[in-house]
Amino acid sequence: MEPQLLHRVTDGVATVVIHHPARRNAMTAGMWKALPPLLDELAADPAVRVLVLTGEGRTFCAGADITTLQGSSEAAQSLAVLAEEALAAFPKPTLAAIRGHCVGGGTQLAAACDLRFAQEDALFGVTPAKLGIVYAASSTRRLVTLVGPAAAKYLLFSGELIDAARALRTGLLDEVLPVGELDRRVAEFTRVLSSRSQLTQAAAKEFANGRTDRDAYWAGQARGSGDTAEGVAAFLERREPRFTWTLPE
């Protein structure tokens, strides 16, 4: 099978699979280009409430396919940054489910997700210093936001790999699971996310990402949504809420 991004939607969860097992799921130029329009399609699908990004088999993503750097490394990096920014802007909750190596462009993609769960044998690295590449400013800032300046400098200056336990301590990961438990935990947690108010999630995502000009907009959405009334009623009636607000088209 050709290198590609596979996807499926099941019970409100869109799963995007990085599929290039011959090169440890390295991202080709075509795969970088394909990600933004795929994300637009999934964002517009009202059946999608959560997005999971993962890799085929035992590896998340070994970064950019190095053969794509033989022409213009700047052009290849631009494609990676556009894909990363599209993932970061996805309006619904996103979760990276990580096994094995998550390196270079793989770490870019994982960092662009809202949450990151990993198997305990996962390894992480940010490797532009091994190739003499200037890591993009937006990617650097995102990494610093996640792990802090000191840990970001360690990763960027050295290009060394760190294990999942250290990634958890730095804030790069949210949860580390024993081998064999990642899929179960991701399924369990995405069910939780799918059951919550999309209104709360969408507003919180914007605010957490630093947007400061939409307070009135989200207050208006809340007033007209019915989600607050439903949440309070469900709490008082001791039942699960049935939230109905969806992202405006």
Side-chain angles (χ1 to χ4, degrees):
M1 187 180 290
E2 289 296 313
Q4 60 185 300
L5 300 173
L6 305 176
H7 74 280
R8 61 183 181 273
V9 179
T10 306
D11 296 330
V13 179
T15 302
V16 175
V17 181
I18 304 167
H19 184 94
H20 192 185
R23 296 188 65 84
R24 294 194 301 173
N25 297 330
M27 293 282 288
T28 64
M31 294 165 77
W32 289 120
K33 289 178 183 176
L35 186 57
L38 174 58
L39 293 173
D40 287 343
E41 174 189 333
L42 295 173
D45 185 348
V48 174
R49 300 179 68 93
V50 181
L51 183 139
V52 173
L53 179 67
T54 194
E56 181 70 31
R58 294 182 294 176
T59 296
F60 181 74
C61 175
D65 188 334
I66 203 70
T67 61
T68 66
L69 301 181
Q70 292 179 335
S72 168
S73 62
E74 186 176 343
Q77 189 181 36
S78 294
L79 291 176
V81 170
L82 288 173
E84 174 192 356
E85 293 298 327
L87 183 56
F90 192 79
K92 304 170 187 181
T94 56
L95 187 153
I98 301 163
R99 295 179 186 81
H101 282 72
C102 177
V103 180
T107 302
Q108 273 184 272
L109 291 173
C113 290
D114 298 313
L115 302 164
R116 287 151 297 278
F117 290 7
Q119 198 162 268
E120 62 187 359
D121 60 355
L123 293 170
F124 300 83
V126 186
T127 54
K130 291 185 175 181
L131 299 168
I133 294 171
V134 176
Y135 203 49
S138 59
S139 304
T140 300
R141 287 191 293 268
R142 182 168 290 113
L143 183 64
V144 170
T145 298
L146 277 176
V147 305
K153 289 173 183 177
Y154 177 93
L155 292 166
L156 284 163
F157 291 178
S158 71
E160 293 291 288
L161 301 184
I162 62 172
D163 61 19
R166 183 166 181 174
L168 181 66
R169 291 196 302 272
T170 66
L172 185 58
L173 290 176
D174 297 287
E175 292 191 15
V176 174
L177 286 308
V179 173
E181 291 294 309
L182 182 63
D183 288 343
R184 178 200 61 77
R185 176 57 180 151
V186 168
E188 174 187 75
F189 193 72
T190 53
R191 281 195 297 271
V192 171
L193 294 179
S194 296
S195 73
R196 304 309 194 215
S197 167
Q198 289 191 74
L199 170 68
T200 301
Q201 292 170 342
K205 183 163 183 171
E206 281 200 358
F207 295 156
N209 287 345
R211 188 150 184 181
T212 59
D213 62 342
R214 297 255 284 180
D215 299 56
Y217 171 82
W218 286 114
Q221 289 291 312
R223 283 193 298 272
S225 70
D227 270 16
T228 302
E230 168 61 14
V232 171
F235 178 81
L236 294 174
E237 296 166 16
R238 298 186 179 182
R239 60 172 173 81
E240 288 298 315
R242 295 181 290 273
F243 296 117
T244 57
W245 185 92
T246 57
L247 284 167
E249 294 182 4

